[in-house]
Structures are given as C-alpha cells and as structure tokens.
Amino acid sequence: MATEAAPEWLDKGDNAWQLAAATLVGLQSVPGLVILYGSIVKKKWAVNSAFMALYAFAATLVCWCLWAFRMSFGDRLLPFVGRPDLAALGQDFLTQQGFAGAYPAATLLFFQFVFAAITLILVAGSLLGRVNFRAWMLFVPLWLTFSYTVGAFSLWSPNGFLFKAGVMDFAGGYVIHLSSGIAGFTAAYWVGPRTAKDREAFPPNNILLTLAGAGLLWMGWTGFNGGAPYAANIDASVAVVNTHFCTATSLLVWLCLDCLVFGRPSVIGAVQGMITGLVCITPAAGLVQGWAAMLMGVASGSVPWLTMMVLHRCSRVLKRVDDTLAVLHTHGVAGSLGGVLTGVLAEPRLCRLFFGDDPRYVGLAYAVKDGRAAAGLRQVGVQVAGIAFVAALNVAVTSAVCLVVRMVVPLRLGEEQLAAGDDAIHGEDAYAVWGDGETYEQSVHGNQGYPMTSNPMSSKAEEMI
C-alpha cells in the first residue's frame, strides 16, 4: 500500500537500481580515477594528480546541489540552459517525482551528479603535471556552470533544443566524453606544456595500480550505461552487455595493433583501448545490437589508435598542445566516433524502448533497408550537428574560463614547483615513510610536534610523570 515514504508513483525496483547505478559511476571517480591518475603519472606528480580528481568530485557535488542541477534539468531559461535556483536544497523538491523515472528527484540529483563529476575529472587528465592547483580550484565550478550545464540541458533535458532535434546520446558520449576531450585539449593549450624533461619521459609510477583504477572504471561503466534508461528494464540489460562487448573488442584490437606495429603488447596501450571502447559505445549502448557493438569496438580500437599514434605525431598543431593523458583521442575522438556510428547503427525497436514511439530515431543502415533513407541521413546529420555544437561550445567556454582564471592566479606552476612536483605543491609525497624524515614532515597535517615512539601511550605516561 502507498505510504508517505513510498507513494503510488514510486517504483522501488527502479529506484534501487538507479541508486546502485549512480554509486557504480561514483566509484569510477572515487576511487577509480583517483587511483588511475595517481599511478599512471610520474612519481613526483602522483599526489597532485590523484588530489585533482578528489577535489573535482567534492567541488562538483556542492555546486551541483546549489545551482548546476537545475541549470541542467530545470525550467528553461534559454534554449540551451535551465534557470538556476536553490530548489534542490529543499525537501519539497527532492521528495517529489523527478522529471524522468518512477522515483524522486533526489535520486536523479545524485545520479546526474556523478556524471557531472567524472566529466571534470576527465578534463583534469589533459592538465596533469603542470596546472596550478589553485587555478584548478577555480576552473572546476566555472566550467561546470558555463559549459557542462549547457551541454547537459541542450542534449538531455526534455526542454533542450538538441534533445528536441533528435540527437541520440544514450549515456553521455557527447555530454561527457566529447565535452571533456575538447575542453581538456583547449585548457591544455592555455595552461601550457609540462617541462621538457617530463614530456620526454613520463613513466607510470605503478602500472599495477593503474590496472586497478582502470578495472574500477570498466566495471563502474555498468552503472554508467546501464542507468541511462532511468529504469531497471530490458534496455538497461542490453546496454550493459553491449558496453562490455564493445570494450573487450576495442581492447583486443588496440593490443593487436601495438603488437603488429611496435612488436610488444603494452599494458598502458590496453588501458587506452579499454577506455576508447567504453567511450565509443556510450552514446549507443542501449540502441544497437550486439554485432553492431562489436563493430563499434573494432572502430574504437583502431581509429583513436591511428589519431593518437600516427596523426598526432605528424600534426604540428596537435604536437604543440601537451594533452597529458591524450584525452582528446580517448574521449574526444572516441566520443565523436560513437556518436556518428549511433546515427548509422541504431536499431528501430531498441530506439523505441528508449525514446518511445517516435519514428525519427532510426539508424541509417536500417532506414535504407526500410526505404527511409532520408530519415537515416537526417539522423546522421543531426548527430554531426550535435558534435559541432558541443565542440564549439567547449572551445569557446573553456577558453573564456581559462582567461578569467589566469587574471586571478597563474594557470601554470612556477619552474621550481614543476621541478619538485608534489613536495613543493602539497608538502607530501606519495611514498613517504612515517618518521623517516621525508617530505611528509613538511605537510600542514604532518607529524610535527608529535613524539615518534613505538608506543604513544607510554610516551604520554612519561610526560605525566
């Protein structure tokens, strides 16, 4: 029977799945990308890189609850952004049914937050090893407010103009991955490169932990794409299976290319192939059949490989920008590729499961088969237009945010800090040993003034005597 805590419109199964899916996505960031970033960089940048991810997660949560959620999914202010307000702080709003799904707005608030947070953390991947942490502290709320909310509202809100135009972005290929790839590359241009020494040699300090972080990222994607239908339904199950099918295929293709061209299987290369597969399938996860997911995995394991390993090294423009973790390729290129392939391979019945009975949503391959080539070409055109909008938005807004931030603090660290890394920035070291006189003694939360004995209680007793 309906109660105040479980009204008639609440589906407990859907609500439970949505909260679980959100938690899985949150684990992709904390601890997933915290571990991955802290271990895939040079030792002297381990603490700083991991902390950039942790800070972004916390700062995004506060800003999201205060104003960004309503800007992304609230009442329309402009065709591309919602009206900011403090409704998310009140119980009246949080306990009512959300704009989608059979559960309260509080569930949607949390689910959409973890997507926003991971987007900022992905942007950080382009800036590791030289960005001023204070500049990053300002960048996160500004970019979230003026870039992410616009993309989310335009593509995902029922009131967004790209949503109404029919752009298919199942779980964030555009809103999250294309945005972070373009924004990260643009921000890297304004921040400037790492030191010449770091650009020449930037080995991971712990490949095993890199794999642990990557594993959390991969498994967390079950909630990333599986939660997109806003229900524990058939489409969610299809999305989960397609996600892992495409990802595994992409990893294997990337690995084979590394073996053929470089003569050895690269662990870091396998991680890159894993990521491009996850990204590529995201806009299509619940909209394509299994064979199409595998085909997308072949494309995501080869096209970004070519742009990263061949095109980037031949392009003067690309080489000028120091994109630390190649986010432009793993997320920007892979996200765009997934968006276009969605327009080609989306299956009509699966589209109905997600979008409802709307004949506009059909992949070009099926439209041609059904004698509706014009509808398929229109869908591909809409997908490309969405890519163009997101790319232009993030180049413009990210540039503006960087220019504003550098009026307050320098975007790039000073040369002494660049040479020292974590020790100079945080006064902490990734592998400091307590009591051995290492850099942890310089931390503001270090061990200064505390007796270093094997038994703290005996030390206290001695003081009393």
Side-chain angles (χ1 to χ4, degrees):
M1 296 181 62
T3 65
E4 185 177 3
E8 292 182 356
W9 49 261
L10 177 69
D11 187 309
K12 293 183 179 179
D14 286 352
N15 192 41
W17 165 239
Q18 212 63 32
L19 290 170
T23 303
L24 285 171
V25 179
L27 289 171
Q28 290 180 283
S29 297
V30 180
L33 286 173
V34 170
I35 294 173
L36 193 151
Y37 282 6
S39 54
I40 202 171
V41 297
K42 209 171 186 176
K43 177 183 176 293
K44 72 174 184 177
W45 293 110
V47 172
N48 182 256
S49 300
F51 193 35
M52 284 179 65
L54 182 63
Y55 165 78
F57 193 83
T60 299
L61 175 57
V62 173
C63 298
W64 189 251
C65 293
L66 287 175
W67 66 80
F69 175 68
R70 294 289 288 165
M71 289 182 69
S72 300
F73 297 98
D75 300 327
R76 173 177 159 173
L77 177 64
L78 296 171
F80 48 81
V81 72
R83 187 185 308 277
D85 59 46
L86 300 177
L89 297 182
Q91 67 175 6
D92 291 340
F93 172 79
L94 294 177
T95 56
Q96 70 183 14
Q97 186 172 4
F99 67 86
Y103 36 74
T107 300
L108 282 168
L109 174 76
F110 180 53
F111 181 73
Q112 289 296 337
F113 148 66
V114 290
F115 280 82
I118 200 171
T119 308
L120 267 300
I121 295 172
L122 293 174
V123 173
S126 295
L127 309 176
L128 302 180
R130 82 281 199 178
V131 69
N132 185 345
F133 194 86
R134 289 175 174 80
W136 178 241
M137 292 175 70
L138 297 175
F139 179 93
V140 169
L142 289 173
W143 191 87
L144 173 72
T145 302
F146 296 105
S147 180
Y148 184 84
T149 58
V150 173
F153 185 89
S154 300
L155 284 151
W156 281 349
S157 170
N159 297 316
F161 81 101
L162 289 176
F163 180 88
K164 292 179 179 179
V167 176
M168 294 190 291
D169 184 14
F170 185 81
Y174 290 10
V175 176
I176 296 169
H177 302 295
L178 177 58
S179 293
S180 60
I182 299 298
F185 190 79
T186 304
Y189 167 80
W190 289 107
V191 172
R194 290 166 288 171
T195 63
K197 184 178 180 180
D198 279 354
R199 292 194 73 178
E200 291 171 3
F202 206 69
N205 69 84
N206 195 319
I207 289 183
L208 293 180
L209 280 180
T210 298
L211 288 174
L216 286 167
L217 194 66
W218 186 346
M219 290 300 101
W221 227 280
T222 298
F224 200 105
N225 289 348
Y230 293 129
N233 59 18
I234 293 174
D235 204 30
S237 299
V238 171
V240 169
V241 173
N242 282 339
T243 296
H244 297 298
F245 195 17
C246 176
T247 302
T249 303
S250 180
L251 185 155
L252 296 176
V253 170
W254 193 294
L255 185 63
C256 289
L257 288 172
D258 277 350
C259 289
L260 288 172
V261 177
F262 303 114
R264 63 179 63 182
S266 168
V267 175
I268 300 300
V271 170
Q272 299 283 37
M274 180 206 82
I275 292 172
T276 56
L278 292 167
V279 171
C280 185
I281 194 62
T282 292
L287 307 177
V288 299
Q289 297 190 59
W291 64 265
M294 186 175 186
L295 182 61
M296 293 180 73
V298 173
S300 64
S302 55
V303 174
W305 186 95
L306 287 169
T307 63
M308 183 190 301
M309 310 306 295
V310 179
L311 179 62
H312 192 105
R313 299 181 181 187
C314 298
S315 171
R316 292 183 179 180
V317 176
L318 293 178
K319 286 196 297 185
R320 285 183 58 190
V321 180
D322 182 17
D323 182 359
T324 307
L325 298 185
V327 178
L328 175 67
H329 302 284
T330 57
H331 294 272
V333 173
S336 299
L337 180 65
V340 173
L341 290 176
T342 302
V344 175
L345 301 172
E347 198 271 335
R349 179 173 178 268
L350 292 173
C351 288
R352 287 197 300 273
L353 292 178
F354 187 68
F355 293 109
D357 193 13
D358 190 333
R360 292 182 304 167
Y361 298 104
V362 58
L364 177 61
Y366 294 92
V368 171
K369 179 182 177 182
D370 297 339
R372 302 173 53 209
L377 289 172
R378 177 195 175 279
Q379 188 62 59
V380 173
V382 168
Q383 297 297 109
V384 173
I387 292 171
F389 172 79
V390 173
L393 167 71
N394 282 280
V395 169
V397 174
T398 305
S399 296
V401 169
C402 287
L403 291 173
V404 169
V405 170
R406 78 175 186 181
M407 295 173 63
V408 181
V409 294
L411 292 174
R412 191 168 180 265
L413 292 167
E415 294 302 320
E416 292 185 1
Q417 291 176 310
L418 289 172
D422 293 337
D423 186 14
I425 303 165
H426 304 288
E428 296 160 326
D429 187 86
Y431 302 109
V433 178
W434 182 271
D436 280 355
E438 297 189 18
T439 54
Y440 195 76
E441 292 184 355
Q442 301 175 25
S443 168
V444 293
H445 294 290
N447 62 341
Q448 303 94 321
Y450 294 95
M452 298 306 300
T453 65
S454 57
N455 188 341
M457 292 301 294
S458 64
S459 176
K460 183 65 176 178
E462 290 176 2
E463 292 179 7
M464 293 176 65
I465 292 173

